[in-house]
């Protein structure tokens, strides 16, 4: 659990990339601290998050490049006395890191990695190469190439054991992953458009076992707050975000994560996915997401509120014990929706309109 004796001082936050559902989740996390008010900046005129009762102000800017985006942030910081600029998506984090010097003249920024490290961890193949070079355990993987082009003439393709996963190296949330039973499936997937054209792909041997995710916040390679959870979803071979999870204690995973975070001197939040190999009980590094994870509301229900942690002085005093698998009302997503229903209602409305237009 966390020592929350150091409370937050009153502050105003600007989310500069408020276009997605990630913003709604972060708004709900920040709203648990009454001292925080949150504005969002969006490229859409009607982002889902604008309908949240926790959104103090929604601002539109049809930015074309970094310079305009920075100016828009600067203008909002001045008008609304913003204290902290807090990105929540991959593209938002990279924007803030790219323009760290300019943005830090307007407002405080959360701890962030440098640009090279951000891009290394965000690219699955780059992460794979780094892990192999530095003796961190990973599944056997081979670079295949860019979809739409011929497969790379890679002699290491023969090292892959099937079943295997064909993964885009830059997409997140499980998007674009293709399951392959044998090598003939690889040729078919590459030829018949099962892969996403223009995306670079890697081929990875499937590791029989269980997924486990570590959400963390660190400064200069020292982990200050974390949760560890595994998915309770019954859906086989699901590659998307965890929707039902159990918080647990696993010393081997924590030790491996601490070694990795210390080695790269990570700054800020991250969500790291590992696979527990049933054959040898080892933990293998699968993915590294340099942003708030999709399951941050689950972490909030368990007692760790990552968005406020990124700019509050808090310490970790221990790890969670095993929690019951039975989901209580206050621990489920519906409890957050009941307090702040408008984003879900608007999202459902958009789906209905989309299906109506598709049917006509």
């Amino acid at each position: 659990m966390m020592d929350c004796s150091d409370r937050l001082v009153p502050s105003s936050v600007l989310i500069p990339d408020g276009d997605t559902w990630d913003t709604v989740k972060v708004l709900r996390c920040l709203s648990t601290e009454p001292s925080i008010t949150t504005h969002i900046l969006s490229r859409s005129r009607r982002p889902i998050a604008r309908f949240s009762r926790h959104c103090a102000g929604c601002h539109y800017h049809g930015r074309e490049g970094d310079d305009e985006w920075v100016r828009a942030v600067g203008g909002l910081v001045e008008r609304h006395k913003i204290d902290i600029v807090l990105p929540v998506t991959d593209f938002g984090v990279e924007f803030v890191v790219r323009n760290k010097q300019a943005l830090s003249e307007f407002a405080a920024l959360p701890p962030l990695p440098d640009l090279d490290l951000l891009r290394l961890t965000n690219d699955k193949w780059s992460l794979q190469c780094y892990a192999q070079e530095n003796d961190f355990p990973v599944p056997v993987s081979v670079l295949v190439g860019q979809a739409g082009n011929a497969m790379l003439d890679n002699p290491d393709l023969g090292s892959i054991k099937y079943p295997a996963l064909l993964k885009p190296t830059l997409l997140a949330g499980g998007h674009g992953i293709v399951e392959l039973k044998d090598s003939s499936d690889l040729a078919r997937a590459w030829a018949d458009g099962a892969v996403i054209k223009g995306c670079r792909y890697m081929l990875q041997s499937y590791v029989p076992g269980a997924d486990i995710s570590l959400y963390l916040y660190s400064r200069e390679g020292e982990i200050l707050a974390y949760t560890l959870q595994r998915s309770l979803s019954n859906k086989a071979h699901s590659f998307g975000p965890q929707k039902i999870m159990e918080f647990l204690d696993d010393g081997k995973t924590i030790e491996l994560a601490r070694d990795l975070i210390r080695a790269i001197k990570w700054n800020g939040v991250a969500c790291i996915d590992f696979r527990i190999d049933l054959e040898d009980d080892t933990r293998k590094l699968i993915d590294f997401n340099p942003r708030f994870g999709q399951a941050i509301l689950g972490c909030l229900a368990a007692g760790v509120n990552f968005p406020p942690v990124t700019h509050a002085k808090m310490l970790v005093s221990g790890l969670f014990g095993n929690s019951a698998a039975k989901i209580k009302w206050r621990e489920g997503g519906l409890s957050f929706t009941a307090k702040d229903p408008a984003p879900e209602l608007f999202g459902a409305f958009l789906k209905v309109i989309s299906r109506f237009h598709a049917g006509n």
Side-chain angles (χ1 to χ4, degrees):
M1 301 295 290
M2 300 189 64
D3 179 2
C4 297
S5 57
D6 293 319
R7 306 305 296 173
L8 296 176
V9 296
S11 61
S12 55
V13 174
L14 173 64
I15 296 175
D17 49 342
D19 305 275
T20 67
W21 271 104
D22 301 277
T23 306
V24 176
K25 296 176 182 179
V26 172
L27 281 171
R28 289 171 177 172
C29 288
L30 291 172
S31 73
T32 62
E33 290 289 344
S35 63
I36 298 176
T37 58
T38 308
H39 291 252
I40 67 171
L41 177 62
S42 172
R43 295 180 68 177
S44 168
R45 293 189 181 275
R46 292 184 178 83
I48 293 289
R50 74 173 293 183
F51 297 96
S52 170
R53 68 186 184 91
H54 307 306
C55 179
C58 178
H59 312 277
Y60 167 76
H61 182 70
R63 52 191 178 269
E64 297 296 331
D66 276 13
D67 290 344
E68 291 188 12
W69 198 351
V70 169
R71 283 196 292 271
V73 170
L76 289 173
V77 167
E78 183 177 0
R79 287 199 302 276
H80 298 281
K81 309 301 181 187
I82 300 295
D83 299 306
I84 299 162
V85 174
L86 183 67
V88 302
T89 61
D90 290 321
F91 69 86
V93 170
E94 182 160 339
F95 158 72
V96 172
V97 171
R98 281 198 310 268
N99 298 279
K100 185 175 181 179
Q101 183 174 354
L103 292 170
S104 61
E105 295 179 4
F106 304 141
L109 303 177
L112 295 163
D114 63 39
L115 187 58
D116 289 341
L117 181 56
L118 177 67
R119 289 175 173 171
L120 183 149
T121 55
N122 209 26
D123 185 295
K124 294 178 178 61
W125 180 248
S126 296
L127 179 67
Q128 174 84 15
C129 294
Y130 174 86
Q132 288 178 323
E133 291 168 2
N134 292 275
D135 298 323
F136 289 104
V138 287
V140 177
S141 303
V142 176
L143 187 63
V144 178
Q146 189 173 46
N149 299 336
M151 279 191 288
L152 295 178
D153 185 15
N154 195 329
D156 293 332
L157 282 173
S159 65
I160 296 295
K161 293 182 180 180
Y162 290 85
L165 302 174
L166 193 56
K167 292 182 172 182
T169 62
L170 283 174
L171 296 185
H175 297 299
I177 296 178
V178 181
E179 294 182 70
L180 307 174
K181 294 180 180 178
D182 52 43
S183 58
S184 62
D185 279 354
L186 172 61
R188 281 194 294 269
W190 204 253
D192 67 11
V195 291
I196 301 173
K197 190 174 181 179
C199 287
R200 188 174 68 157
Y201 275 81
M202 58 187 278
L203 183 63
Q204 187 173 84
S205 290
Y206 178 76
V207 177
D211 290 324
I212 188 168
S213 295
L214 181 78
Y215 285 30
L216 65 89
Y217 165 65
S218 72
R219 284 180 182 266
E220 296 297 330
E222 180 186 359
I223 297 177
L224 300 179
Y226 65 89
T227 63
L228 188 64
Q229 57 262 6
R230 69 179 181 89
S231 176
L232 297 181
S233 173
N234 293 325
K235 187 177 180 180
H237 303 288
S238 175
F239 305 115
Q242 295 176 333
K243 295 183 178 180
I244 306 174
M245 67 201 76
E246 177 184 25
F247 292 85
L248 46 85
D249 187 352
D250 184 77
K252 292 182 179 180
T253 303
I254 296 299
E255 182 179 1
L256 177 58
R258 287 195 188 281
D259 289 343
L260 175 63
I261 292 301
R262 190 177 297 116
I264 62 178
K265 294 182 173 60
W266 186 257
N267 260 324
V269 295
C271 174
I272 312 177
D273 295 328
F274 297 93
R275 187 80 170 168
I276 302 178
D277 193 328
L278 288 181
E279 294 182 354
D280 56 13
D281 196 38
T282 59
R283 276 66 180 154
K284 291 182 170 58
L285 175 63
I286 299 294
D287 203 1
F288 192 114
N289 300 289
R291 52 172 166 74
F292 293 116
Q294 294 286 331
I296 56 170
L297 290 178
C299 300
L300 172 59
V304 180
N305 196 345
F306 280 103
V309 166
T310 60
H311 62 284
K313 183 183 176 184
M314 293 182 174
L315 299 175
V316 175
S317 59
L319 225 165
F320 290 103
N322 292 328
S323 61
K326 184 178 180 181
I327 305 300
K328 300 176 182 178
W329 165 258
R330 65 179 179 83
E331 298 171 345
L334 287 177
S335 66
F336 298 105
T337 302
K339 297 174 184 176
D340 183 34
E344 275 81 358
L345 291 173
F346 184 69
F349 171 75
L350 290 180
K351 288 182 180 179
V352 171
I353 294 298
S354 177
R355 289 174 183 172
F356 174 79
H357 286 300
N360 291 280

